[in-house]
């Protein structure tokens, strides 16, 4: 299960990153260029930031939601799931 999630997340991250790079290279603005987690879940992200008032955690969340592209998040999530799948055997 985790290996499939990892592989699908890695593939999705590669596709989103590839389309984003192609869009930036061609100087066209479409949905892939500015796609971040905050653009997908603005209200939920804002409620998390308001819930936790510690400045260092808020800076980490701001970096995750506003600066890291969605392709990078998907690649990281895919690697995380894939590493979990290596150590957990499916029954």
């Amino acid at each position: 299960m985790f290996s499939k999630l990892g592989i699908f997340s890695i593939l999705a991250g590669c596709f989103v990153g590839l389309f984003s790079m192609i869009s930036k290279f061609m100087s066209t603005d479409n949905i892939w260029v500015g796609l971040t987690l905050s653009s997908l879940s603005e209200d939920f992200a804002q409620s998390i930031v308001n819930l936790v008032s510690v400045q260092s955690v808020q800076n980490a969340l701001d970096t995750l939601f506003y600066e890291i592209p969605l392709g990078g998040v998907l690649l990281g999530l895919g690697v995380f799931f894939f590493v979990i799948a290596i150590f957990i055997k499916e029954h």
Side-chain angles (χ1 to χ4, degrees):
M1 173 83 178
F2 282 108
S3 61
K4 290 178 185 176
L5 284 174
I7 290 170
F8 287 137
S9 293
I10 289 172
L11 288 174
C14 288
F15 284 127
V16 169
L18 178 69
F19 288 132
S20 176
M21 286 189 293
I22 290 172
S23 297
K24 285 182 182 179
F25 177 73
M26 296 177 64
S27 299
T28 58
D29 290 334
N30 57 19
I31 192 169
W32 301 109
V33 174
L35 194 61
T36 61
L37 285 177
S38 67
S39 63
L40 296 175
S41 61
E42 290 183 31
D43 296 332
F44 182 70
Q46 190 63 35
S47 67
I48 290 175
V49 170
N50 289 336
L51 179 68
V52 179
S53 63
V54 180
Q55 188 65 30
S56 61
V57 175
Q58 185 174 357
N59 288 340
L61 287 174
D62 285 344
T63 301
L64 175 66
F65 285 107
Y66 297 114
E67 294 178 12
I68 298 176
L70 183 62
V73 172
L74 289 173
L75 280 173
L77 189 63
V79 169
F80 177 73
F81 282 144
F82 200 65
V83 168
I84 289 175
I86 289 172
F87 295 110
I88 296 176
K89 294 184 180 182
E90 296 182 27
H91 299 286

